PDB file of all heavy atoms in Angstrom:
ATOM      1  N   ALA A 239      98.715 100.330  43.174  1.00 97.00           N
ATOM      2  CA  ALA A 239      99.877 100.034  42.263  1.00 97.00           C
ATOM      3  C   ALA A 239      99.605 100.708  40.949  1.00 97.00           C
ATOM      4  O   ALA A 239      98.528 101.244  40.638  1.00 97.00           O
ATOM      5  CB  ALA A 239      99.886  98.522  42.057  1.00 97.00           C
ATOM      6  N   PRO A 240     100.630 100.782  40.057  1.00 96.00           N
ATOM      7  CA  PRO A 240     100.381 101.425  38.741  1.00 96.00           C
ATOM      8  C   PRO A 240      99.199 100.754  38.046  1.00 96.00           C
ATOM      9  O   PRO A 240      98.934  99.572  38.203  1.00 96.00           O
ATOM     10  CB  PRO A 240     101.673 101.071  38.011  1.00 96.00           C
ATOM     11  CG  PRO A 240     102.721 100.926  39.107  1.00 96.00           C
ATOM     12  CD  PRO A 240     101.995 100.279  40.204  1.00 96.00           C
ATOM     13  N   PRO A 241      98.461 101.560  37.315  1.00 96.00           N
ATOM     14  CA  PRO A 241      97.235 101.050  36.595  1.00 96.00           C
ATOM     15  C   PRO A 241      97.557  99.825  35.745  1.00 96.00           C
ATOM     16  O   PRO A 241      98.561  99.833  35.005  1.00 96.00           O
ATOM     17  CB  PRO A 241      96.731 102.266  35.836  1.00 96.00           C
ATOM     18  CG  PRO A 241      97.377 103.430  36.434  1.00 96.00           C
ATOM     19  CD  PRO A 241      98.633 102.911  37.052  1.00 96.00           C
ATOM     20  N   PHE A 242      96.670  98.808  35.920  1.00 92.00           N
ATOM     21  CA  PHE A 242      96.874  97.580  35.194  1.00 92.00           C
ATOM     22  C   PHE A 242      95.532  96.864  35.100  1.00 92.00           C
ATOM     23  O   PHE A 242      94.972  96.464  36.085  1.00 92.00           O
ATOM     24  CB  PHE A 242      97.934  96.626  35.734  1.00 92.00           C
ATOM     25  CG  PHE A 242      98.089  95.387  35.057  1.00 92.00           C
ATOM     26  CD1 PHE A 242      98.689  95.308  33.801  1.00 92.00           C
ATOM     27  CD2 PHE A 242      97.617  94.215  35.535  1.00 92.00           C
ATOM     28  CE1 PHE A 242      98.812  94.108  33.060  1.00 92.00           C
ATOM     29  CE2 PHE A 242      97.667  93.006  34.841  1.00 92.00           C
ATOM     30  CZ  PHE A 242      98.300  92.975  33.645  1.00 92.00           C
ATOM     31  N   ASP A 243      95.078  96.674  33.902  1.00 92.00           N
ATOM     32  CA  ASP A 243      93.859  95.886  33.668  1.00 92.00           C
ATOM     33  C   ASP A 243      94.335  94.453  33.231  1.00 92.00           C
ATOM     34  O   ASP A 243      94.957  94.251  32.191  1.00 92.00           O
ATOM     35  CB  ASP A 243      93.099  96.471  32.417  1.00 92.00           C
ATOM     36  CG  ASP A 243      91.741  95.685  32.202  1.00 92.00           C
ATOM     37  OD1 ASP A 243      91.542  94.558  32.651  1.00 92.00           O
ATOM     38  OD2 ASP A 243      90.887  96.299  31.476  1.00 92.00           O
ATOM     39  N   PRO A 244      94.122  93.437  34.115  1.00 88.00           N
ATOM     40  CA  PRO A 244      94.502  92.092  33.762  1.00 88.00           C
ATOM     41  C   PRO A 244      94.055  91.522  32.527  1.00 88.00           C
ATOM     42  O   PRO A 244      94.618  90.641  31.980  1.00 88.00           O
ATOM     43  CB  PRO A 244      94.061  91.282  35.008  1.00 88.00           C
ATOM     44  CG  PRO A 244      93.803  92.287  36.078  1.00 88.00           C
ATOM     45  CD  PRO A 244      93.394  93.547  35.366  1.00 88.00           C
ATOM     46  N   ARG A 245      92.882  92.076  31.961  1.00 86.00           N
ATOM     47  CA  ARG A 245      92.399  91.511  30.726  1.00 86.00           C
ATOM     48  C   ARG A 245      93.174  91.924  29.470  1.00 86.00           C
ATOM     49  O   ARG A 245      93.114  91.323  28.424  1.00 86.00           O
ATOM     50  CB  ARG A 245      90.957  91.971  30.464  1.00 86.00           C
ATOM     51  CG  ARG A 245      89.972  91.500  31.596  1.00 86.00           C
ATOM     52  CD  ARG A 245      88.700  92.166  31.442  1.00 86.00           C
ATOM     53  NE  ARG A 245      88.845  93.614  31.679  1.00 86.00           N
ATOM     54  CZ  ARG A 245      87.936  94.485  31.832  1.00 86.00           C
ATOM     55  NH1 ARG A 245      86.684  94.084  31.838  1.00 86.00           N
ATOM     56  NH2 ARG A 245      88.185  95.796  32.007  1.00 86.00           N
ATOM     57  N   GLY A 246      94.004  92.959  29.624  1.00 82.00           N
ATOM     58  CA  GLY A 246      94.796  93.536  28.491  1.00 82.00           C
ATOM     59  C   GLY A 246      95.715  92.481  27.938  1.00 82.00           C
ATOM     60  O   GLY A 246      96.614  91.932  28.709  1.00 82.00           O
ATOM     61  N   GLY A 247      95.577  92.079  26.722  1.00 64.00           N
ATOM     62  CA  GLY A 247      96.427  91.171  26.041  1.00 64.00           C
ATOM     63  C   GLY A 247      96.223  89.670  26.422  1.00 64.00           C
ATOM     64  O   GLY A 247      96.929  88.857  25.997  1.00 64.00           O
ATOM     65  N   MET A 248      95.215  89.481  27.299  1.00 64.00           N
ATOM     66  CA  MET A 248      94.944  88.065  27.688  1.00 64.00           C
ATOM     67  C   MET A 248      94.452  87.306  26.501  1.00 64.00           C
ATOM     68  O   MET A 248      93.574  87.694  25.778  1.00 64.00           O
ATOM     69  CB  MET A 248      93.865  87.998  28.746  1.00 64.00           C
ATOM     70  CG  MET A 248      93.708  86.631  29.334  1.00 64.00           C
ATOM     71  SD  MET A 248      92.431  86.495  30.586  1.00 64.00           S
ATOM     72  CE  MET A 248      91.044  86.218  29.622  1.00 64.00           C
ATOM     73  N   LYS A 249      95.067  86.191  26.192  1.00 68.00           N
ATOM     74  CA  LYS A 249      94.617  85.231  25.219  1.00 68.00           C
ATOM     75  C   LYS A 249      94.697  83.780  25.640  1.00 68.00           C
ATOM     76  O   LYS A 249      95.434  83.486  26.575  1.00 68.00           O
ATOM     77  CB  LYS A 249      95.390  85.443  23.888  1.00 68.00           C
ATOM     78  CG  LYS A 249      96.888  85.279  24.110  1.00 68.00           C
ATOM     79  CD  LYS A 249      97.670  85.532  22.796  1.00 68.00           C
ATOM     80  CE  LYS A 249      99.146  85.437  23.037  1.00 68.00           C
ATOM     81  NZ  LYS A 249      99.868  85.681  21.904  1.00 68.00           N
ATOM     82  N   SER A 250      93.951  83.002  25.012  1.00 72.00           N
ATOM     83  CA  SER A 250      93.928  81.569  25.407  1.00 72.00           C
ATOM     84  C   SER A 250      95.327  80.958  25.171  1.00 72.00           C
ATOM     85  O   SER A 250      95.883  81.228  24.112  1.00 72.00           O
ATOM     86  CB  SER A 250      92.913  80.774  24.618  1.00 72.00           C
ATOM     87  OG  SER A 250      91.703  81.212  24.864  1.00 72.00           O
ATOM     88  N   PRO A 251      95.882  80.159  26.050  1.00 69.00           N
ATOM     89  CA  PRO A 251      97.193  79.630  25.917  1.00 69.00           C
ATOM     90  C   PRO A 251      97.112  78.458  24.811  1.00 69.00           C
ATOM     91  O   PRO A 251      96.072  77.795  24.623  1.00 69.00           O
ATOM     92  CB  PRO A 251      97.532  78.976  27.195  1.00 69.00           C
ATOM     93  CG  PRO A 251      96.213  78.761  27.893  1.00 69.00           C
ATOM     94  CD  PRO A 251      95.330  79.797  27.307  1.00 69.00           C
ATOM     95  N   ASP A 252      98.188  78.331  24.071  1.00 70.00           N
ATOM     96  CA  ASP A 252      98.267  77.254  23.036  1.00 70.00           C
ATOM     97  C   ASP A 252      98.766  75.981  23.764  1.00 70.00           C
ATOM     98  O   ASP A 252      99.956  75.844  23.969  1.00 70.00           O
ATOM     99  CB  ASP A 252      99.243  77.668  21.906  1.00 70.00           C
ATOM    100  CG  ASP A 252      99.345  76.589  20.850  1.00 70.00           C
ATOM    101  OD1 ASP A 252      98.776  75.438  20.987  1.00 70.00           O
ATOM    102  OD2 ASP A 252     100.067  76.800  19.835  1.00 70.00           O
ATOM    103  N   LEU A 253      97.845  75.115  24.226  1.00 72.00           N
ATOM    104  CA  LEU A 253      98.180  73.976  25.028  1.00 72.00           C
ATOM    105  C   LEU A 253      98.914  72.873  24.205  1.00 72.00           C
ATOM    106  O   LEU A 253      99.502  72.087  24.829  1.00 72.00           O
ATOM    107  CB  LEU A 253      96.909  73.430  25.753  1.00 72.00           C
ATOM    108  CG  LEU A 253      96.235  74.469  26.681  1.00 72.00           C
ATOM    109  CD1 LEU A 253      95.001  73.786  27.253  1.00 72.00           C
ATOM    110  CD2 LEU A 253      97.193  74.873  27.823  1.00 72.00           C
ATOM    111  N   ALA A 254      98.818  72.995  22.923  1.00 78.00           N
ATOM    112  CA  ALA A 254      99.514  72.031  22.073  1.00 78.00           C
ATOM    113  C   ALA A 254     101.008  72.354  21.956  1.00 78.00           C
ATOM    114  O   ALA A 254     101.857  71.497  21.682  1.00 78.00           O
ATOM    115  CB  ALA A 254      98.899  72.101  20.682  1.00 78.00           C
ATOM    116  N   MET A 255     101.371  73.593  22.196  1.00 75.00           N
ATOM    117  CA  MET A 255     102.751  74.014  22.136  1.00 75.00           C
ATOM    118  C   MET A 255     103.544  73.481  23.349  1.00 75.00           C
ATOM    119  O   MET A 255     103.077  73.507  24.529  1.00 75.00           O
ATOM    120  CB  MET A 255     102.878  75.518  22.123  1.00 75.00           C
ATOM    121  CG  MET A 255     104.295  76.122  22.006  1.00 75.00           C
ATOM    122  SD  MET A 255     104.415  77.872  22.009  1.00 75.00           S
ATOM    123  CE  MET A 255     103.578  78.237  20.466  1.00 75.00           C
ATOM    124  N   PRO A 256     104.784  72.941  23.102  1.00 80.00           N
ATOM    125  CA  PRO A 256     105.522  72.477  24.286  1.00 80.00           C
ATOM    126  C   PRO A 256     105.861  73.551  25.209  1.00 80.00           C
ATOM    127  O   PRO A 256     106.012  74.765  24.853  1.00 80.00           O
ATOM    128  CB  PRO A 256     106.846  71.908  23.602  1.00 80.00           C
ATOM    129  CG  PRO A 256     106.487  71.769  22.117  1.00 80.00           C
ATOM    130  CD  PRO A 256     105.408  72.741  21.808  1.00 80.00           C
ATOM    131  N   LEU A 257     105.890  73.152  26.550  1.00 73.00           N
ATOM    132  CA  LEU A 257     106.181  74.227  27.584  1.00 73.00           C
ATOM    133  C   LEU A 257     107.432  74.983  27.284  1.00 73.00           C
ATOM    134  O   LEU A 257     107.519  76.137  27.532  1.00 73.00           O
ATOM    135  CB  LEU A 257     106.257  73.488  28.878  1.00 73.00           C
ATOM    136  CG  LEU A 257     105.003  73.026  29.534  1.00 73.00           C
ATOM    137  CD1 LEU A 257     105.276  72.290  30.872  1.00 73.00           C
ATOM    138  CD2 LEU A 257     104.064  74.234  29.850  1.00 73.00           C
ATOM    139  N   SER A 258     108.430  74.269  26.780  1.00 78.00           N
ATOM    140  CA  SER A 258     109.732  74.939  26.534  1.00 78.00           C
ATOM    141  C   SER A 258     109.661  76.061  25.527  1.00 78.00           C
ATOM    142  O   SER A 258     110.470  76.923  25.457  1.00 78.00           O
ATOM    143  CB  SER A 258     110.763  73.974  26.075  1.00 78.00           C
ATOM    144  OG  SER A 258     110.401  73.319  24.817  1.00 78.00           O
ATOM    145  N   ARG A 259     108.547  76.087  24.629  1.00 74.00           N
ATOM    146  CA  ARG A 259     108.447  77.119  23.612  1.00 74.00           C
ATOM    147  C   ARG A 259     107.397  78.187  24.013  1.00 74.00           C
ATOM    148  O   ARG A 259     107.222  79.138  23.259  1.00 74.00           O
ATOM    149  CB  ARG A 259     108.032  76.405  22.266  1.00 74.00           C
ATOM    150  CG  ARG A 259     109.171  75.525  21.779  1.00 74.00           C
ATOM    151  CD  ARG A 259     108.904  74.984  20.416  1.00 74.00           C
ATOM    152  NE  ARG A 259     108.518  75.964  19.512  1.00 74.00           N
ATOM    153  CZ  ARG A 259     107.686  75.828  18.439  1.00 74.00           C
ATOM    154  NH1 ARG A 259     107.038  74.665  18.313  1.00 74.00           N
ATOM    155  NH2 ARG A 259     107.364  76.756  17.687  1.00 74.00           N
ATOM    156  N   ARG A 260     106.652  77.956  25.087  1.00 69.00           N
ATOM    157  CA  ARG A 260     105.683  78.976  25.431  1.00 69.00           C
ATOM    158  C   ARG A 260     106.279  80.231  26.179  1.00 69.00           C
ATOM    159  O   ARG A 260     107.360  80.021  26.810  1.00 69.00           O
ATOM    160  CB  ARG A 260     104.705  78.369  26.420  1.00 69.00           C
ATOM    161  CG  ARG A 260     103.740  77.330  25.814  1.00 69.00           C
ATOM    162  CD  ARG A 260     102.713  76.906  26.836  1.00 69.00           C
ATOM    163  NE  ARG A 260     102.180  75.578  26.493  1.00 69.00           N
ATOM    164  CZ  ARG A 260     101.507  74.869  27.286  1.00 69.00           C
ATOM    165  NH1 ARG A 260     101.131  75.284  28.458  1.00 69.00           N
ATOM    166  NH2 ARG A 260     101.108  73.715  26.840  1.00 69.00           N
ATOM    167  N   ALA A 261     105.672  81.331  25.959  1.00 68.00           N
ATOM    168  CA  ALA A 261     106.175  82.510  26.665  1.00 68.00           C
ATOM    169  C   ALA A 261     105.840  82.361  28.151  1.00 68.00           C
ATOM    170  O   ALA A 261     104.839  81.841  28.513  1.00 68.00           O
ATOM    171  CB  ALA A 261     105.520  83.781  26.061  1.00 68.00           C
ATOM    172  N   VAL A 262     106.661  82.948  28.980  1.00 66.00           N
ATOM    173  CA  VAL A 262     106.477  82.962  30.398  1.00 66.00           C
ATOM    174  C   VAL A 262     105.477  83.963  30.792  1.00 66.00           C
ATOM    175  O   VAL A 262     105.503  85.096  30.246  1.00 66.00           O
ATOM    176  CB  VAL A 262     107.828  83.210  31.184  1.00 66.00           C
ATOM    177  CG1 VAL A 262     107.591  83.328  32.637  1.00 66.00           C
ATOM    178  CG2 VAL A 262     108.819  82.102  30.843  1.00 66.00           C
ATOM    179  N   GLY A 263     104.536  83.553  31.641  1.00 64.00           N
ATOM    180  CA  GLY A 263     103.566  84.557  32.188  1.00 64.00           C
ATOM    181  C   GLY A 263     102.239  84.508  31.428  1.00 64.00           C
ATOM    182  O   GLY A 263     102.131  84.052  30.291  1.00 64.00           O
ATOM    183  N   GLY A 264     101.260  84.898  32.130  1.00 63.00           N
ATOM    184  CA  GLY A 264      99.846  85.035  31.533  1.00 63.00           C
ATOM    185  C   GLY A 264      98.961  83.884  31.815  1.00 63.00           C
ATOM    186  O   GLY A 264      97.713  84.019  31.781  1.00 63.00           O
ATOM    187  N   LEU A 265      99.520  82.700  32.049  1.00 74.00           N
ATOM    188  CA  LEU A 265      98.615  81.484  32.220  1.00 74.00           C
ATOM    189  C   LEU A 265      97.802  81.649  33.460  1.00 74.00           C
ATOM    190  O   LEU A 265      96.597  81.314  33.484  1.00 74.00           O
ATOM    191  CB  LEU A 265      99.451  80.205  32.181  1.00 74.00           C
ATOM    192  CG  LEU A 265      98.675  78.909  32.306  1.00 74.00           C
ATOM    193  CD1 LEU A 265      97.671  78.792  31.157  1.00 74.00           C
ATOM    194  CD2 LEU A 265      99.543  77.734  32.370  1.00 74.00           C
ATOM    195  N   GLY A 266      98.387  82.124  34.552  1.00 77.00           N
ATOM    196  CA  GLY A 266      97.679  82.303  35.810  1.00 77.00           C
ATOM    197  C   GLY A 266      96.501  83.267  35.706  1.00 77.00           C
ATOM    198  O   GLY A 266      95.466  82.971  36.207  1.00 77.00           O
ATOM    199  N   VAL A 267      96.736  84.392  35.010  1.00 83.00           N
ATOM    200  CA  VAL A 267      95.643  85.368  34.806  1.00 83.00           C
ATOM    201  C   VAL A 267      94.598  84.772  33.980  1.00 83.00           C
ATOM    202  O   VAL A 267      93.412  84.904  34.307  1.00 83.00           O
ATOM    203  CB  VAL A 267      96.233  86.671  34.168  1.00 83.00           C
ATOM    204  CG1 VAL A 267      95.121  87.587  33.718  1.00 83.00           C
ATOM    205  CG2 VAL A 267      97.146  87.377  35.117  1.00 83.00           C
TER     206      VAL A 267
END
């Protein structure tokens, strides 16, 4: 597949933020 390093841009999720305000994606990685 096209080159992709899963670590790129990975950051700890802000668990205090309500789900409705969180960006979609990244939590699984």
